Amino acid sequence: MLPFKHPFSNRNSKYFLKCNFLAVVNDGIAPPQRILFPPEKIRMDWQQPLSVGVGLQNMGNTCYLNATLQCLTYTPPLANYMLSLEHSKSCQEKGFCMMCTLEAHINQALRLSKKAHFRYGRQEDAHEFLSFTVEALQKACLNGSTTLDTSSQATTLINQIFGGYLRSQGTCQKSSCPLNWSGSTFLFIQTVTSVTEALEQLVKPEQLDGENSYKCSKCENMVPASKRYTIHRSSKVLIITLKRFSAFTGGKINKDVKYPEYLDLRAYMSQSMGEPLIYSLYAVLVHSGSTCNEGHYICFIKAGNGFWYRMNDAIVERSDTETVLNQQAYLLFYIRVSCCSEKDSHCRETIVCFLVCSLG
């Protein structure tokens, strides 16, 4: 089992799955010694009947920031908490606090009629900004509690929304010993035409032999081995990044990759048998342009009223499902559909997986 600390820590990878931690189940993961945020307080459905909020003014190359913030703003469990103002009421941080900053932004974006503004800057990458933002939110939630065990640190609000586990399994083909894999967590794929195809590649066993043979720690031989990754726990929010930019040249891969409105993650879990794990698409971030250093970002979000909207900086327009599903997506945001009432603790398990899929 491999816990991961950063969803986008290696831009050279063609296919990267990152996860952190979650709820307590009997799956071999150590239970937390302390719960930092009660999981029963996380609300997956919109708690207020809000329509679409305001657009965000582009202050000079801030479209990447605007589009990413809009996707976070319309993440229901995160927005519900931020709209309650619970964090700022109890925050003891004297300096900068990312949680307070995002809380103020979400309340302004959803409750005020004027456009929000940001300082001038340069064009950046949206998925890197998203990663750094989530990391800063997690740090703010910990509030210096870094001496806690890893499982306890994973019980913050943010990690219960944006965290998970990836399982890495290997088998020595000579002795049939189970292998404890460490180090690289990247999977390379030549081509994908759909998100489901990419997920199938993720869980496909990889054969290691020849120069890539593995030294088995139990039989102490260089042996052929098989290696396989699976998502070890289900999630509340699933963020998929289609890796459209070359790590070396910055050039963009322009191709259509199909993605569904509803995605069943069950087949890609460690426990592939069981009830469906259905996710519903609620935001799509799109980049137009030929390289990662130029172009424009927009996004499509599903508001609390159930309608889709196109968010192009300060411009907010109604859209529809067909249009949303026919974009050259860069980031896809899915939320798990509850199979039962939130009062049922079995449906309150949290987790998120960040996927970076190679497109060529």
Side-chain angles (χ1 to χ4, degrees):
M1 222 94 62
L2 300 176
F4 302 100
K5 295 183 178 180
H6 200 288
F8 312 111
S9 58
N10 190 329
R11 297 185 67 183
N12 294 330
S13 65
K14 288 187 175 181
Y15 194 116
F16 175 58
L17 170 63
K18 173 269 179 187
C19 305
N20 263 341
F21 176 79
L22 274 173
V24 179
V25 292
N26 186 21
D27 58 3
I29 299 172
Q33 297 174 8
R34 178 183 172 191
I35 304 296
L36 300 180
F37 188 87
E40 64 270 12
K41 292 180 65 176
I42 298 176
R43 295 290 180 262
M44 296 298 291
D45 298 322
W46 288 98
Q47 299 299 292
Q48 301 180 31
L50 298 173
S51 183
V52 68
V54 299
L56 304 178
Q57 188 72 40
N58 191 323
M59 301 300 291
N61 294 324
T62 60
C63 60
Y64 75 96
L65 184 151
N66 292 347
T68 305
L69 282 178
Q70 293 287 28
C71 293
L72 287 175
T73 297
Y74 291 90
T75 299
L78 180 64
N80 287 330
Y81 178 77
M82 295 302 191
L83 289 171
S84 73
L85 301 176
E86 181 176 331
H87 177 81
S88 58
K89 292 175 182 176
S90 59
C91 182
Q92 302 298 315
E93 177 60 51
K94 302 301 181 182
F96 173 79
C97 173
M98 190 63 196
M99 285 289 287
C100 290
T101 301
L102 187 61
E103 179 186 271
H105 167 75
I106 289 179
N107 276 271
Q108 181 182 16
L110 293 180
R111 286 177 165 162
L112 300 182
S113 59
K114 61 182 181 181
K115 301 178 181 66
H117 296 262
F118 295 94
R119 65 179 176 82
Y120 288 91
R122 65 175 185 173
Q123 179 77 293
E124 300 288 354
D125 184 77
H127 91 264
E128 286 189 343
F129 174 71
L130 171 65
S131 175
F132 296 144
T133 299
V134 172
E135 186 176 280
L137 290 170
Q138 169 68 358
K139 184 177 179 180
C141 286
L142 287 173
N143 193 26
S145 302
T146 55
T147 58
L148 291 170
D149 62 285
T150 302
S151 295
S152 295
Q153 290 186 40
T155 63
T156 64
L157 168 73
I158 294 303
N159 221 348
Q160 289 191 65
I161 296 175
F162 302 102
Y165 261 109
L166 169 68
R167 186 179 189 181
S168 177
Q169 291 180 300
T171 302
C172 166
Q173 295 181 1
K174 179 177 180 180
S175 63
S176 297
C177 301
L179 305 178
N180 294 320
W181 297 93
S182 60
S184 175
T185 57
F186 311 114
L187 295 179
F188 294 87
I189 351 175
Q190 296 301 318
T191 59
V192 296
T193 59
S194 69
V195 167
T196 53
E197 182 184 348
L199 289 170
E200 290 167 2
Q201 291 290 330
L202 167 68
V203 300
K204 182 179 180 180
E206 176 187 3
Q207 299 301 317
L208 302 180
D209 51 29
E211 293 182 355
N212 293 324
S213 294
Y214 184 84
K215 184 174 182 180
C216 180
S217 61
K218 296 192 176 182
C219 65
E220 298 185 349
N221 292 314
M222 296 298 294
V223 296
S226 62
K227 180 180 180 181
R228 182 175 184 243
Y229 290 95
T230 54
I231 301 171
H232 198 54
R233 290 179 177 175
S234 59
S235 60
K236 282 194 183 298
V237 177
L238 176 69
I239 302 176
I240 299 176
T241 301
L242 302 179
K243 193 174 183 297
R244 293 190 175 274
F245 301 116
S246 167
F248 300 102
T249 66
K252 185 179 177 184
I253 302 170
N254 287 297
K255 64 179 291 187
D256 293 330
V257 177
K258 297 298 181 182
Y259 50 93
E261 183 179 6
Y262 296 97
L263 177 65
D264 185 358
L265 213 62
R266 172 55 70 187
Y268 319 113
M269 302 292 296
S270 298
Q271 296 293 333
S272 59
M273 302 299 291
E275 65 181 20
L277 298 176
I278 305 299
Y279 289 78
S280 176
L281 187 70
Y282 72 89
V284 177
L285 188 145
V286 180
H287 174 270
S288 60
S290 58
T291 74
C292 62
N293 299 315
E294 59 86 24
H296 185 60
Y297 288 97
I298 66 169
C299 69
F300 295 81
I301 59 89
K302 181 179 283 189
N305 60 9
F307 292 110
W308 282 100
Y309 293 86
R310 182 177 186 268
M311 316 292 276
N312 182 6
D313 288 328
I315 303 173
V316 179
E317 302 173 317
R318 273 284 297 272
S319 188
D320 56 75
T321 303
E322 182 179 1
T323 300
V324 171
L325 294 179
N326 283 280
Q327 301 297 314
Q328 281 198 354
Y330 182 29
L331 297 175
L332 299 170
F333 294 74
Y334 286 89
I335 187 167
R336 183 174 177 179
V337 178
S338 297
C339 59
C340 52
S341 169
E342 284 190 332
K343 294 181 179 180
D344 186 340
S345 61
H346 193 66
C347 291
R348 292 201 300 263
E349 289 192 42
T350 58
I351 302 173
V352 153
C353 305
F354 292 82
L355 304 180
V356 180
C357 308
S358 169
L359 305 185

